[in-house]
Amino acid sequence: MRICVVMAMHAEAEPVVEMLGLRAVDRPPWASHVPMRLYEGKTRTNTIDLVVNGLDPDTGIDCIGTQAATASTMLGCEAFAPDLVVSAGTCGGFACRGGEIGTVYLAHDRVWYHDRRVPLPGFDRFSRGGYPCLPLDSIADDLGFSSGVISTGDSLDLSPADARRIDEVGAHVKDMEAAAVAWIAGLFGAKFTAVKVVTDLVDGPHPTEQEFLENLSMATDRLAEALTRFLREISDADLKGSAPA
Ligand code: ADE
């Protein structure tokens, strides 16, 4: 099958590129002035296109968050018509729901937004997201990953209103891209999943940014190993699972 992987940070993507032996594509099939970078390669049964959000030309830092994730996924889906789109990266976890630093999560059930609040008829549901994930709990079990509900927002910190939303959906994972990637994947009729590794515990005692930086290198190594195993394991037969009702 054809799989488009979308990642936000170069630090997250580099170990993946190395472990999967991906090749950098000098001229991706999109406008040269957008920062999105492309790597390609194959496993025994799958063709992999990895789109990395790239660097913001103004600040020179990685384009994290839903804005760039939407653009990257759009470019990847238009160029490659993938069967499956994977949002891969690091995340915050929740000790109260069994999360630990380094836990590897595969997306479970649906992916939500926790920072879009529009209390108007119709817009409320649209704002919350709730995009379906391919049911892959048995692959998670086989690979020794945890299955987790993901909630996405554009801030590293956690406001009380965001925390209420996260509790409503019982999220195990707090990230900054997955829901945006899932929305575009759905528009293109592609299946969606996410592989996320915990760098920091949202409900732990340490400041998030400090814990994130301390654990980033360990988490990106774990992510590369987990994503490589996942991309080698997943096959066409796994695409047949139905979306959550
Ligand atoms: N990525 C890593 N840690 C995160 C957190 N706490 N919130 C959102 N995204 C993250």
Side-chain angles (χ1 to χ4, degrees):
M1 81 173 93
R2 190 138 196 171
I3 304 176
C4 180
V5 180
V6 182
M7 299 184 77
M9 297 178 70
H10 274 103
E12 293 169 332
E14 269 159 27
V16 174
V17 168
E18 191 164 323
M19 201 168 281
L20 274 167
L22 303 181
R23 187 182 72 82
V25 177
D26 289 337
R27 287 171 188 247
W30 48 73
S32 59
H33 50 265
V34 299
M36 286 74 200
R37 294 283 153 261
L38 177 64
Y39 301 84
E40 63 177 20
K42 281 186 187 303
T43 67
R44 200 169 48 80
T45 53
N46 300 320
T47 298
I48 313 295
D49 304 291
L50 166 63
V51 184
V52 182
N53 289 354
L55 302 181
D56 173 49
D58 185 28
T59 58
I61 54 103
D62 291 304
C63 298
I64 57 170
T66 60
Q67 176 174 272
T70 303
S72 291
T73 313
M74 184 83 195
L75 293 171
C77 285
E78 278 208 318
F80 308 118
D83 304 292
L84 175 68
V85 177
V86 182
S87 169
T90 58
C91 67
F94 294 85
C96 66
R97 286 187 270 273
E100 294 175 15
I101 303 293
T103 302
V104 179
Y105 283 104
L106 197 58
H108 174 76
D109 194 39
R110 288 178 184 273
V111 50
W112 303 90
Y113 280 112
H114 53 253
D115 64 351
R116 306 200 318 179
R117 288 176 286 276
V118 186
L120 292 169
F123 292 96
D124 182 50
R125 190 158 92 81
F126 172 76
S127 305
R128 287 172 187 253
Y131 311 113
C133 304
L134 188 62
L136 295 173
D137 288 0
S138 66
I139 289 202
D141 280 350
D142 291 349
L143 295 175
F145 302 168
S146 298
S147 293
V149 172
I150 300 175
S151 187
T152 297
D154 270 299
S155 296
L156 189 68
D157 69 0
L158 182 73
S159 75
D162 293 352
R164 279 195 295 278
R165 279 289 178 81
I166 285 173
D167 287 344
E168 274 172 33
V169 299
H172 302 81
V173 167
K174 173 175 177 280
D175 90 327
M176 297 178 69
E177 284 90 17
V181 175
W183 181 58
I184 299 287
L187 294 182
F188 279 80
K191 305 288 187 189
F192 168 81
T193 192
V195 180
K196 301 276 162 172
V197 178
V198 174
T199 49
D200 51 271
L201 291 171
V202 177
D203 55 352
H206 306 295
T208 299
E209 55 280 15
Q210 180 191 324
E211 213 171 25
F212 172 78
L213 291 173
E214 275 172 17
N215 294 315
L216 182 61
S217 159
M218 172 281 299
T220 54
D221 287 348
R222 287 201 80 147
L223 177 66
E225 200 205 320
L227 188 62
T228 299
R229 289 175 63 214
F230 173 76
L231 293 173
R232 288 181 178 156
E233 176 79 13
I234 185 118
S235 70
D236 286 316
D238 300 308
L239 288 181
K240 303 215 161 62
S242 54

